[in-house]
């Protein structure tokens, strides 16, 4: 099937959203009950500084957090913080005091004043229209607003309503209150509405994952093997890192290695995204002459530039592997949807 579909459903009793592009699974969000979502906001008290680590632990009841910017924070002080990513196993989730309130059209930044428009919106008249709407909605507040690329062509009433909702949410979060959860963070359905702004057919009927091929795609993701043209990738997470092995398959031509590696580079962001893998990633590409590395690096940069999850491409190791560091924006699929749940 051609075109883009966004399917909102539940799988194994968990809220989930899938984006299909031309009949192929392109992105996936699955809730994980009992695990804090990134963007959740809490009021927590400072406990003790971790000497030698430059940070401090925070606590709200039984929930603990790791706050890296500990300078000037006294034990017992209450802080309003936001979860920035999923925690590694047996570690406290990382948090920040720089709160952001993100919606489909805007990002409200109470601690960073100024109105900014997405660089992708180049039309001067449109930029002026959006800035005026934002300034009016701020109504004199010394806060910041970022107008996202999805504002392009949107009705002014929709944008101002979105700004007002986010301002109300921010004011509620910043008001005085008890230690504990202030905002749970957005689930898969709201996150899909917020982030997947490309025109698409939206399917909300129960059973949409089964009727539109999402469950079949999920079953394929349970193993490490990923096809990329003639190449094959094996994507395997360990406790320390994500290991990726690239094989050329049956192609024995002189250019086989470069072709397989470029195909793997293009497929890698999707493979990591759908499996929810982040942290340190080490790729063992098929052996090829060093003179071809530049071409492969260009393919990697282009592929990850189009990926929504922040990834730092670190470069080659002395032994010839390629390293990258990827933000932990998703939970591993093995945690959100273990094989027995399908």
């Amino acid at each position: 099937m051609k075109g883009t579909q966004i399917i909102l459903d539940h799988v194994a009793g968990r809220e989930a959203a899938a984006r299909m592009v031309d009949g192929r699974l392109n992105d996936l969000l699955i809730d994980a009950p009992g695990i804090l979502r990134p963007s959740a906001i809490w009021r927590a008290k400072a406990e003790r500084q971790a000497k030698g680590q430059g940070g401090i632990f925070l606590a709200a009841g039984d929930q603990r957090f790791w706050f890296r910017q500990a300078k000037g924070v006294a034990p017992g002080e209450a802080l309003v913080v936001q979860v920035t990513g999923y925690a590694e196993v047996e570690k406290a989730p990382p948090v920040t005091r720089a709160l952001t309130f993100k919606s489909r059209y805007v990002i409200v930044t109470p601690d960073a004043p100024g109105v900014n428009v997405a660089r992708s919106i180049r039309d001067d008249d449109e930029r002026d229209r959006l800035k005026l709407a934002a300034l009016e909605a701020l109504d004199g507040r010394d806060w910041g607003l970022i107008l996202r690329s999805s504002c392009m062509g949107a009705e002014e009433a929709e944008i101002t309503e979105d700004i007002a909702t986010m301002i109300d949410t921010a004011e509620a979060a910043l008001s005085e209150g008890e230690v504990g959860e202030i905002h749970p963070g957005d689930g898969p359905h709201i996150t899909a509405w917020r982030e997947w702004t490309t025109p698409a057919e939206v399917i909300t009927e129960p059973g949409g994952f089964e009727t539109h091929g999402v469950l079949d795609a999920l079953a394929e993701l349970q193993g490490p093997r990923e096809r990329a043209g003639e190449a094959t990738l094996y994507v395997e997470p360990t406790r320390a890192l994500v290991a990726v092995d690239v094989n050329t398959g049956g192609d024995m031509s002189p250019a086989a290695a470069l072709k397989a590696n470029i195909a793997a580079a293009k497929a890698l962001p999707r493979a990591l995204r759908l499996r929810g893998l982040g942290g340190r990633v080490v790729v063992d590409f098929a052996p090829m002459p060093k003179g071809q590395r530049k071409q492969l690096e260009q393919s990697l940069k282009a592929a990850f530039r189009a990926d929504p999850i922040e990834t730092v491409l670190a470069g080659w190791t002395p032994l010839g592997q390629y390293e990258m560091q990827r933000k932990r924006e998703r939970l591993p699929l093995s945690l959100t949807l273990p094989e027995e749940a399908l």
Side-chain angles (χ1 to χ4, degrees):
M1 179 178 290
K2 297 293 184 181
T4 301
Q5 295 174 311
I6 294 174
I7 304 152
L8 307 180
D9 201 358
H10 289 75
V11 57
R14 303 172 185 188
E15 185 178 301
R19 180 170 61 184
M20 303 287 285
V21 177
D22 297 336
R24 188 170 186 238
L25 185 62
N26 175 267
D27 207 347
L28 175 69
L29 302 167
I30 301 178
D31 211 3
I35 297 178
L36 289 187
R37 298 165 176 165
S39 80
I41 300 173
W42 283 65
R43 182 175 284 102
K45 285 189 176 181
E47 285 189 326
R48 58 180 174 81
Q49 290 199 6
K51 292 183 179 180
Q53 297 184 47
I56 191 169
F57 286 103
L58 312 178
D62 293 333
Q63 181 62 55
R64 303 183 79 219
F65 305 94
W66 171 247
F67 180 51
R68 188 171 294 280
Q69 297 82 22
K71 188 177 180 179
V73 178
E77 182 180 350
L79 308 178
V80 176
V81 294
Q82 188 168 41
V83 179
T84 59
Y86 288 108
E88 296 181 54
V89 177
E90 299 177 356
K91 292 188 178 181
V95 294
T96 180
R97 294 179 77 176
L99 307 185
T100 59
F101 298 85
K102 186 184 290 189
S103 190
R104 185 179 180 92
Y105 296 116
V106 300
I107 302 173
V108 176
T109 58
D111 299 320
V115 174
N116 296 284
V117 181
R119 283 178 291 182
S120 58
I121 301 177
R122 303 176 189 271
D123 183 85
D124 289 338
D125 290 339
E126 181 71 355
R127 294 179 69 87
D128 290 342
R129 177 182 82 95
L130 294 172
K131 282 187 177 181
L132 287 172
L135 289 169
E136 185 176 343
L138 280 173
D139 193 25
R141 293 177 182 84
D142 190 24
W143 286 5
L145 268 180
I146 301 170
L147 285 303
R148 306 183 73 192
S149 57
S150 52
C151 288
M152 183 69 182
E155 294 291 333
E156 189 170 314
E158 288 185 73
I159 297 171
T160 54
E161 181 181 353
D162 206 27
I163 294 173
T165 299
M166 286 298 99
I167 286 175
D168 288 345
T169 302
E171 287 182 332
L174 295 170
S175 62
E176 293 297 323
E178 299 295 322
V179 167
E181 185 182 74
I182 297 172
H183 190 280
D186 294 332
H189 290 182
I190 294 178
T191 302
W193 169 81
R194 190 185 75 202
E195 300 297 333
W196 298 344
T197 58
T198 304
E201 177 190 4
V202 180
I203 297 160
T204 59
E205 292 81 7
F209 272 22
E210 182 175 5
T211 56
H212 291 81
V214 179
L215 292 184
D216 292 337
L218 288 177
E220 292 178 5
L221 288 171
Q222 294 294 329
R225 191 168 180 266
E226 181 88 16
R227 293 288 300 175
E230 292 294 321
T232 303
L233 290 78
Y234 291 89
V235 184
E236 300 182 280
T238 71
R239 185 177 176 85
L241 52 83
V242 178
V244 181
D245 184 49
V246 180
N247 292 329
T248 58
D251 190 347
M252 303 299 290
S253 66
L258 180 60
K259 286 165 55 180
N261 289 338
I262 289 176
K266 293 177 179 178
L268 189 54
R270 174 184 177 273
L272 295 173
R273 186 169 66 245
L274 294 183
R275 289 171 169 81
L277 299 177
R280 184 184 175 207
V281 181
V282 179
V283 187
D284 187 16
F285 283 108
M288 65 180 187
K290 285 188 177 180
Q292 295 179 343
R293 285 184 176 180
K294 192 71 174 177
Q295 192 173 345
L296 176 57
E297 288 169 8
Q298 291 172 348
S299 296
L300 277 168
K301 288 176 182 177
F304 281 97
R305 193 182 301 123
D307 186 62
I309 299 174
E310 181 183 340
T311 304
V312 176
L313 302 178
W316 301 93
T317 71
L319 293 179
Q321 283 82 41
Y322 194 91
E323 285 190 311
M324 56 190 75
Q325 186 71 29
R326 187 170 174 84
K327 188 175 180 182
R328 296 181 189 275
E329 279 195 12
R330 310 280 176 87
L331 276 174
L333 190 63
S334 58
L335 292 180
T336 57
L337 195 66
E339 190 171 358
E340 57 270 18
L342 285 175

